[in-house]
Amino acid sequence: MIVIKGVAASPGIAVGRAYVVEDEDIVVERVEIPRDALSEEVRRFKAAQKATYRDLDAAEEKVLKVLGRQHAKLIDAHRLILRDTLITRDVPKRILSEGVNAEFALSEALEGVNRQFEKMDDEFFRERRHDLFDVGKRLLLHLMRRQKRNLSEIDQECVLIARNLLPSDTLGLKETRILGFATDLGGKTSHTALLAQSLQIPAVVGLTDGSRRVRTGETVILDGEQGLVIVGPEPQTLARYEKLKESVRAAERSLEALKGLPTVTLDGRSFRLEVNLDSPEDIKAVAALRADGIGLFRTEALFLNRPDLPSEEEQAKAYASVLKAMDGREVVVRTADIGGDRLSQMGIEGPKSETNPFMGLRGVRLFLRHPDLFKTQLRAILRASPKGKARVLIPMVSSVGEAVAARRLLEQARAELEAEGIEIAPDVEFGIMVEVPSAALILDAFLPHVDFVSIGTNDLIQYVLAVDRVNEHVANLYDPYHPAVLRLLDQIVSAARKRGKWTAVCGEMTSDPRAVALLVGLGVDALSVSPRLFLRIKQAVRGLRYDAMRKLVVKASACAESEDVRRLLDRAQ
Ligand code: PEP
Ligand code: MG
């Protein structure tokens, strides 16, 4: 039995056979590349080569530590292969002369050498081809990371284990019968983890090299509560987990009684408790929770997994169906936050090969470069607005100018639609996500231009602490309890309150029953929670006293270490 520790990303327990998404699953397709794009293809190949060098450096460091210098020489052999003319010269030559994609050129070159190796009598040399393939596979992985895998074709009940899943992969899991998934990469607030919650399947991320320690067909337990993957469990462990699974289910069933009850603390302070909606298709399940509204409608799903863009008509229909399902309760529609770890295949020029995509062209930045796309989405939201209570929310705003430009586009869209005689609701409020420290620090300058603010703790924490939210190596540093985060949150809420603007929080911090106590103490107006945890959070808030939490926040903000904050919380609860 092996126990692999990762990060709990989506609660629940799954027991089943592992399905490991292996490198071998890679199917290299031949793609004709237009003549004028061939040099870009060679550049892409060179970038993969560079990334492979970096891999080897990292591998060498590990081997040195664990096995010593002697074994580290193996890595040198791989470096030599990477420097071989087969790689450095033949592959670019094939790309240019045959007009094909880099993956295909590489696999053809490898296949050619394989045939030569097979002819050799000397076993030592024959076996060297494995090293060649190892290097080739690394290169292919780097090249293909940007390509779409089709996991939606998995047609068996299984626990999916992969090195990495992109949000677009995860969306594809909807149609499958997978019981849960675990990945080597990723942090708790990676969009892949958030999607797992909205798919209501247990997930563990950040296993580091876990996918290499599991084989397809092995029995595994995926513990999304504690962030564990147990491979080949002993019978007692299996029995214990079967019981645990049942008790988690029973606890969930008992939470059902909370549906429709108000979210009010023991001392009478009420909160709007809302849900995050990650895809319009989830609306039925979300509406059944009888939340006070949708505090964050992430619209990116409409843009992913397709070669074209959703039309105004298509978008308006999707927004209208969500507004209708929520029956007059508010729906905060966030304009698409593409970029970061959510790459689109739709060919918008920009966030394809950034070295630091979370700090790159994403959210409002991307849309302000493409005002036509921005306007299409704003028009679609306004067209849907008579169906309910719509609000518009703009992501990744870092300067007042961006907020003003977005608002201007919204007003333009309104004027256009009015001129076309199309009905629009008169009171569509306009808000910004506060998720970049610059916006948090000078929020007072933004407030005259907005009706409300919604705090995105997922990004705010990553930018305040300089901790990439999807990097498993720093997952332990991603810390919602850091006093710097708390002070900043307190500052945001007080600034907005002073100017009579309402505040919501829609990051994952709302979905952590312990952390939510701090948000209650901050006195925000609304909390928007992942649907999977909605009732657990309602139960948590209903068990708190606002006054006590307010005092706790004041004390916690004066702490020096997050450990002190955690201790205060443990003592209070
Ligand atoms: C956030 O950053 O907290 C947020 C809610 O937005 P997203 O997770 O989609 O970036
Ligand atoms: Mg965000």
Side-chain angles (χ1 to χ4, degrees):
M1 177 167 108
I2 315 173
V3 180
I4 313 172
K5 179 102 193 78
V7 179
S10 173
I13 287 159
V15 180
R17 301 234 169 256
Y19 181 103
V20 183
V21 184
E22 308 244 25
D23 304 353
E24 278 75 18
D25 282 0
I26 296 172
V27 180
V28 176
E29 281 177 55
R30 184 178 195 280
V31 181
E32 305 254 1
I33 305 291
R35 187 170 286 280
D36 60 355
L38 285 174
S39 54
E40 166 62 19
E41 194 63 10
V42 171
R43 200 203 53 72
R44 201 165 71 80
F45 178 69
K46 293 208 165 134
Q49 231 176 310
K50 267 198 200 140
T52 308
Y53 271 119
R54 283 199 295 272
D55 277 356
L56 291 178
D57 290 345
E60 180 171 55
E61 214 173 280
K62 252 196 205 155
V63 174
L64 271 175
K65 243 192 236 152
V66 182
L67 298 170
R69 184 156 302 280
Q70 191 61 21
H71 290 88
K73 284 198 178 130
L74 259 179
I75 308 286
D76 278 333
H78 283 199
R79 274 206 197 93
L80 278 179
I81 293 172
L82 202 53
R83 247 179 256 137
D84 195 286
T85 50
L86 160 81
I87 307 280
T88 55
R89 201 190 58 202
D90 291 13
V91 178
K93 213 161 106 191
R94 272 174 200 268
I95 295 174
L96 295 171
S97 63
E98 295 172 29
V100 291
N101 53 324
E103 291 86 344
F104 186 77
L106 173 65
S107 68
E108 286 284 284
L110 291 173
E111 201 36 55
V113 183
N114 186 36
R115 280 195 292 271
Q116 303 297 325
F117 267 116
E118 271 174 354
K119 282 190 209 141
M120 286 185 183
D121 291 334
D122 186 316
E123 198 184 332
F124 176 81
F125 277 112
R126 234 184 14 243
E127 285 316 293
R128 298 285 66 76
R129 71 199 157 128
H130 293 304
D131 292 330
L132 180 73
F133 276 106
D134 212 329
V135 174
K137 216 186 273 172
R138 280 182 193 271
L139 272 165
L140 266 181
L141 271 178
H142 280 297
L143 282 169
M144 298 188 79
R145 204 163 295 159
R146 307 236 170 262
Q147 292 209 342
K148 207 176 135 352
R149 274 184 295 204
N150 202 353
L151 298 176
S152 58
E153 282 166 9
I154 298 172
D155 62 352
Q156 48 187 300
E157 262 197 2
C158 61
V159 175
L160 194 73
I161 314 273
R163 200 176 104 75
N164 191 20
L165 292 179
L166 297 173
S168 49
D169 290 328
T170 315
L171 276 171
L173 298 180
K174 244 189 192 133
E175 297 110 57
T176 67
R177 293 188 287 146
I178 75 147
L179 306 165
F181 71 78
T183 61
D184 291 352
L185 307 190
K188 194 175 168 52
T189 65
S190 61
H191 287 107
T192 297
L194 302 185
L195 281 169
Q197 291 182 9
S198 71
L199 293 175
Q200 315 243 347
I201 50 175
V204 176
V205 297
L207 293 177
T208 314
D209 63 348
S211 71
R212 278 191 243 139
R213 298 164 69 188
V214 190
R215 254 170 230 114
T216 293
E218 280 184 303
T219 301
V220 289
I221 296 171
L222 185 120
D223 179 346
E225 307 281 325
Q226 294 188 71
L228 301 177
V229 171
I230 304 171
V231 189
E234 286 155 2
Q236 313 89 288
T237 311
L238 207 52
R240 187 161 57 82
Y241 266 97
E242 287 296 351
K243 253 198 208 144
L244 201 59
K245 201 163 105 182
E246 203 27 65
S247 68
V248 169
R249 272 207 207 120
E252 258 161 30
R253 274 195 299 271
S254 77
L255 288 174
E256 293 284 307
L258 293 175
K259 279 186 181 167
L261 295 184
T263 307
V264 56
T265 59
L266 293 169
D267 52 348
R269 182 156 179 131
S270 296
F271 291 84
R272 272 195 335 263
L273 194 66
E274 305 183 324
V275 204
N276 291 349
L277 177 73
D278 285 353
S279 164
E281 293 162 29
D282 299 343
I283 185 61
K284 234 175 150 186
V286 163
L289 291 169
R290 295 165 64 191
D292 297 323
I294 290 179
L296 173 68
F297 177 3
R298 290 186 170 102
T299 57
E300 297 79 29
L302 288 163
F303 292 78
L304 301 177
N305 290 336
R306 57 190 294 167
D308 57 347
L309 289 159
S311 65
E312 180 179 315
E313 195 60 40
E314 179 187 340
Q315 291 189 54
K317 250 194 201 154
Y319 307 147
S321 71
V322 172
L323 282 161
K324 256 194 252 164
M326 291 309 286
D327 203 16
R329 283 163 289 164
E330 79 168 3
V331 175
V332 181
V333 188
R334 183 178 71 181
T335 56
D337 182 3
I338 294 160
D341 62 343
R342 267 181 306 228
L343 293 174
S344 155
Q345 283 92 40
M346 61 198 176
I348 292 184
E349 170 222 334
K352 269 185 228 144
S353 54
E354 295 173 303
T355 44
N356 211 341
F358 272 117
M359 298 210 185
L361 197 54
R362 97 169 248 222
V364 73
R365 303 171 177 182
L366 178 68
F367 261 16
L368 285 175
R369 291 269 175 101
H370 298 273
D372 45 334
L373 301 186
F374 204 172
K375 181 94 79 64
T376 304
Q377 184 164 30
L378 295 170
R379 279 176 60 106
I381 300 169
L382 290 177
R383 279 177 65 163
S385 64
K387 302 284 184 227
K389 194 172 182 183
R391 319 233 185 261
V392 172
L393 179 64
I394 311 293
M396 278 301 289
V397 176
S398 60
S399 72
V400 174
E402 288 166 340
V404 170
R407 184 151 207 164
R408 199 176 301 131
L409 275 175
L410 180 68
E411 273 150 23
Q412 265 177 27
R414 173 180 285 281
E416 281 171 19
L417 289 166
E418 276 168 358
E420 291 163 34
I422 292 170
E423 191 199 347
I424 310 169
D427 52 353
V428 179
E429 289 190 2
F430 173 88
I432 53 163
M433 298 268 307
V434 180
E435 53 185 346
V436 179
S438 58
L441 287 165
I442 58 158
L443 190 64
D444 50 345
F446 285 82
L447 289 169
H449 307 283
V450 304
D451 303 310
F452 69 96
V453 299
S454 185
I455 306 171
T457 49
N458 299 339
D459 280 311
L460 190 63
I461 294 169
Q462 83 163 340
Y463 298 129
V464 167
L465 302 181
V467 177
D468 182 346
R469 65 193 262 192
V470 300
N471 181 339
E472 75 282 7
H473 300 294
V474 285
N476 60 327
L477 300 177
Y478 188 93
D479 189 357
Y481 301 95
H482 196 299
V485 173
L486 282 183
R487 277 201 211 174
L488 197 54
L489 289 175
D490 204 14
Q491 202 176 310
I492 298 167
V493 179
S494 335
R497 189 181 302 125
K498 223 189 259 169
R499 285 158 190 85
K501 305 285 159 96
W502 60 269
T503 47
V505 182
C506 61
E508 263 330 85
M509 201 169 161
T510 59
S511 305
D512 173 343
R514 184 155 75 152
V516 83
L518 294 167
L519 303 177
V520 164
L522 285 167
V524 296
D525 298 285
L527 297 162
S528 193
V529 179
S530 162
R532 181 98 173 116
L533 290 139
F534 177 79
L535 293 173
R536 283 198 202 184
I537 296 301
K538 184 181 271 198
Q539 187 184 42
V541 175
R542 287 170 58 94
L544 293 170
R545 301 193 74 85
Y546 167 70
D547 266 0
M549 291 308 116
R550 179 69 226 147
K551 284 186 193 131
L552 191 138
V553 164
V554 174
K555 263 198 205 155
S557 302
C559 287
E561 300 263 17
S562 56
E563 271 319 304
D564 303 332
V565 176
R566 284 194 171 87
R567 226 169 286 131
L568 279 176
L569 272 169
D570 287 343
R571 240 182 278 145
Q573 285 175 2

PDB file of all heavy atoms in Angstrom, residues 418-432:
ATOM      1  N   GLU A 418     -30.449  50.283 -27.110  1.00  0.00           N
ATOM      2  CA  GLU A 418     -31.635  51.138 -27.003  1.00  0.00           C
ATOM      3  C   GLU A 418     -32.010  51.703 -28.371  1.00  0.00           C
ATOM      4  O   GLU A 418     -33.175  51.716 -28.750  1.00  0.00           O
ATOM      5  CB  GLU A 418     -31.402  52.245 -25.975  1.00  0.00           C
ATOM      6  CG  GLU A 418     -31.689  51.724 -24.561  1.00  0.00           C
ATOM      7  CD  GLU A 418     -31.215  52.674 -23.455  1.00  0.00           C
ATOM      8  OE1 GLU A 418     -30.624  53.732 -23.763  1.00  0.00           O
ATOM      9  OE2 GLU A 418     -31.432  52.319 -22.280  1.00  0.00           O
ATOM     10  N   ALA A 419     -30.957  52.115 -29.099  1.00  0.00           N
ATOM     11  CA  ALA A 419     -31.211  52.660 -30.444  1.00  0.00           C
ATOM     12  C   ALA A 419     -31.815  51.595 -31.359  1.00  0.00           C
ATOM     13  O   ALA A 419     -32.564  51.907 -32.281  1.00  0.00           O
ATOM     14  CB  ALA A 419     -29.907  53.198 -31.034  1.00  0.00           C
ATOM     15  N   GLU A 420     -31.443  50.334 -31.102  1.00  0.00           N
ATOM     16  CA  GLU A 420     -31.997  49.239 -31.923  1.00  0.00           C
ATOM     17  C   GLU A 420     -33.378  48.814 -31.432  1.00  0.00           C
ATOM     18  O   GLU A 420     -33.966  47.884 -31.960  1.00  0.00           O
ATOM     19  CB  GLU A 420     -31.052  48.027 -31.881  1.00  0.00           C
ATOM     20  CG  GLU A 420     -29.734  48.247 -32.600  1.00  0.00           C
ATOM     21  CD  GLU A 420     -28.654  47.220 -32.218  1.00  0.00           C
ATOM     22  OE1 GLU A 420     -28.986  46.047 -31.955  1.00  0.00           O
ATOM     23  OE2 GLU A 420     -27.473  47.617 -32.158  1.00  0.00           O
ATOM     24  N   GLY A 421     -33.845  49.471 -30.376  1.00  0.00           N
ATOM     25  CA  GLY A 421     -35.179  49.172 -29.850  1.00  0.00           C
ATOM     26  C   GLY A 421     -35.241  47.880 -29.046  1.00  0.00           C
ATOM     27  O   GLY A 421     -36.299  47.269 -28.904  1.00  0.00           O
ATOM     28  N   ILE A 422     -34.101  47.452 -28.531  1.00  0.00           N
ATOM     29  CA  ILE A 422     -34.083  46.188 -27.761  1.00  0.00           C
ATOM     30  C   ILE A 422     -34.254  46.493 -26.268  1.00  0.00           C
ATOM     31  O   ILE A 422     -33.630  47.419 -25.732  1.00  0.00           O
ATOM     32  CB  ILE A 422     -32.767  45.429 -28.030  1.00  0.00           C
ATOM     33  CG1 ILE A 422     -32.783  44.966 -29.490  1.00  0.00           C
ATOM     34  CG2 ILE A 422     -32.584  44.236 -27.098  1.00  0.00           C
ATOM     35  CD1 ILE A 422     -31.499  44.427 -30.010  1.00  0.00           C
ATOM     36  N   GLU A 423     -35.089  45.700 -25.630  1.00  0.00           N
ATOM     37  CA  GLU A 423     -35.398  45.947 -24.221  1.00  0.00           C
ATOM     38  C   GLU A 423     -34.214  45.551 -23.318  1.00  0.00           C
ATOM     39  O   GLU A 423     -33.607  44.500 -23.483  1.00  0.00           O
ATOM     40  CB  GLU A 423     -36.627  45.108 -23.845  1.00  0.00           C
ATOM     41  CG  GLU A 423     -37.206  45.459 -22.500  1.00  0.00           C
ATOM     42  CD  GLU A 423     -38.103  44.349 -21.930  1.00  0.00           C
ATOM     43  OE1 GLU A 423     -38.466  43.421 -22.682  1.00  0.00           O
ATOM     44  OE2 GLU A 423     -38.399  44.436 -20.732  1.00  0.00           O
ATOM     45  N   ILE A 424     -33.921  46.422 -22.340  1.00  0.00           N
ATOM     46  CA  ILE A 424     -32.837  46.146 -21.388  1.00  0.00           C
ATOM     47  C   ILE A 424     -33.354  46.507 -20.003  1.00  0.00           C
ATOM     48  O   ILE A 424     -34.107  47.476 -19.856  1.00  0.00           O
ATOM     49  CB  ILE A 424     -31.608  47.055 -21.637  1.00  0.00           C
ATOM     50  CG1 ILE A 424     -31.185  47.032 -23.103  1.00  0.00           C
ATOM     51  CG2 ILE A 424     -30.456  46.677 -20.754  1.00  0.00           C
ATOM     52  CD1 ILE A 424     -30.158  48.112 -23.404  1.00  0.00           C
ATOM     53  N   ALA A 425     -32.913  45.765 -18.968  1.00  0.00           N
ATOM     54  CA  ALA A 425     -33.301  46.132 -17.601  1.00  0.00           C
ATOM     55  C   ALA A 425     -32.633  47.460 -17.256  1.00  0.00           C
ATOM     56  O   ALA A 425     -31.494  47.707 -17.662  1.00  0.00           O
ATOM     57  CB  ALA A 425     -32.870  45.044 -16.633  1.00  0.00           C
ATOM     58  N   PRO A 426     -33.319  48.336 -16.493  1.00  0.00           N
ATOM     59  CA  PRO A 426     -32.747  49.663 -16.237  1.00  0.00           C
ATOM     60  C   PRO A 426     -31.642  49.659 -15.172  1.00  0.00           C
ATOM     61  O   PRO A 426     -30.874  50.604 -15.077  1.00  0.00           O
ATOM     62  CB  PRO A 426     -33.961  50.455 -15.724  1.00  0.00           C
ATOM     63  CG  PRO A 426     -34.896  49.420 -15.173  1.00  0.00           C
ATOM     64  CD  PRO A 426     -34.662  48.149 -15.939  1.00  0.00           C
ATOM     65  N   ASP A 427     -31.560  48.595 -14.385  1.00  0.00           N
ATOM     66  CA  ASP A 427     -30.712  48.672 -13.182  1.00  0.00           C
ATOM     67  C   ASP A 427     -29.619  47.607 -13.160  1.00  0.00           C
ATOM     68  O   ASP A 427     -29.435  46.908 -12.178  1.00  0.00           O
ATOM     69  CB  ASP A 427     -31.601  48.493 -11.947  1.00  0.00           C
ATOM     70  CG  ASP A 427     -32.452  47.226 -12.081  1.00  0.00           C
ATOM     71  OD1 ASP A 427     -32.424  46.607 -13.170  1.00  0.00           O
ATOM     72  OD2 ASP A 427     -33.127  46.857 -11.105  1.00  0.00           O
ATOM     73  N   VAL A 428     -28.874  47.465 -14.248  1.00  0.00           N
ATOM     74  CA  VAL A 428     -27.801  46.462 -14.263  1.00  0.00           C
ATOM     75  C   VAL A 428     -26.574  47.070 -13.583  1.00  0.00           C
ATOM     76  O   VAL A 428     -25.906  47.935 -14.144  1.00  0.00           O
ATOM     77  CB  VAL A 428     -27.467  46.042 -15.715  1.00  0.00           C
ATOM     78  CG1 VAL A 428     -26.347  45.018 -15.733  1.00  0.00           C
ATOM     79  CG2 VAL A 428     -28.716  45.482 -16.395  1.00  0.00           C
ATOM     80  N   GLU A 429     -26.300  46.618 -12.361  1.00  0.00           N
ATOM     81  CA  GLU A 429     -25.173  47.215 -11.627  1.00  0.00           C
ATOM     82  C   GLU A 429     -23.840  46.783 -12.225  1.00  0.00           C
ATOM     83  O   GLU A 429     -23.729  45.699 -12.793  1.00  0.00           O
ATOM     84  CB  GLU A 429     -25.248  46.819 -10.143  1.00  0.00           C
ATOM     85  CG  GLU A 429     -26.394  47.500  -9.426  1.00  0.00           C
ATOM     86  CD  GLU A 429     -26.325  47.308  -7.914  1.00  0.00           C
ATOM     87  OE1 GLU A 429     -25.367  46.680  -7.414  1.00  0.00           O
ATOM     88  OE2 GLU A 429     -27.246  47.796  -7.240  1.00  0.00           O
ATOM     89  N   PHE A 430     -22.847  47.645 -12.031  1.00  0.00           N
ATOM     90  CA  PHE A 430     -21.518  47.424 -12.604  1.00  0.00           C
ATOM     91  C   PHE A 430     -20.506  47.291 -11.464  1.00  0.00           C
ATOM     92  O   PHE A 430     -20.457  48.136 -10.565  1.00  0.00           O
ATOM     93  CB  PHE A 430     -21.167  48.620 -13.502  1.00  0.00           C
ATOM     94  CG  PHE A 430     -19.759  48.609 -14.029  1.00  0.00           C
ATOM     95  CD1 PHE A 430     -19.450  47.956 -15.223  1.00  0.00           C
ATOM     96  CD2 PHE A 430     -18.737  49.262 -13.351  1.00  0.00           C
ATOM     97  CE1 PHE A 430     -18.148  47.962 -15.724  1.00  0.00           C
ATOM     98  CE2 PHE A 430     -17.432  49.266 -13.844  1.00  0.00           C
ATOM     99  CZ  PHE A 430     -17.148  48.610 -15.033  1.00  0.00           C
ATOM    100  N   GLY A 431     -19.725  46.226 -11.479  1.00  0.00           N
ATOM    101  CA  GLY A 431     -18.736  46.040 -10.403  1.00  0.00           C
ATOM    102  C   GLY A 431     -17.412  45.551 -10.933  1.00  0.00           C
ATOM    103  O   GLY A 431     -17.298  45.125 -12.080  1.00  0.00           O
ATOM    104  N   ILE A 432     -16.394  45.640 -10.065  1.00  0.00           N
ATOM    105  CA  ILE A 432     -15.080  45.104 -10.454  1.00  0.00           C
ATOM    106  C   ILE A 432     -14.673  44.023  -9.464  1.00  0.00           C
ATOM    107  O   ILE A 432     -15.059  44.040  -8.298  1.00  0.00           O
ATOM    108  CB  ILE A 432     -13.978  46.189 -10.494  1.00  0.00           C
ATOM    109  CG1 ILE A 432     -13.927  46.955  -9.152  1.00  0.00           C
ATOM    110  CG2 ILE A 432     -14.170  47.129 -11.672  1.00  0.00           C
ATOM    111  CD1 ILE A 432     -12.648  47.742  -8.958  1.00  0.00           C
TER     112      ILE A 432
END
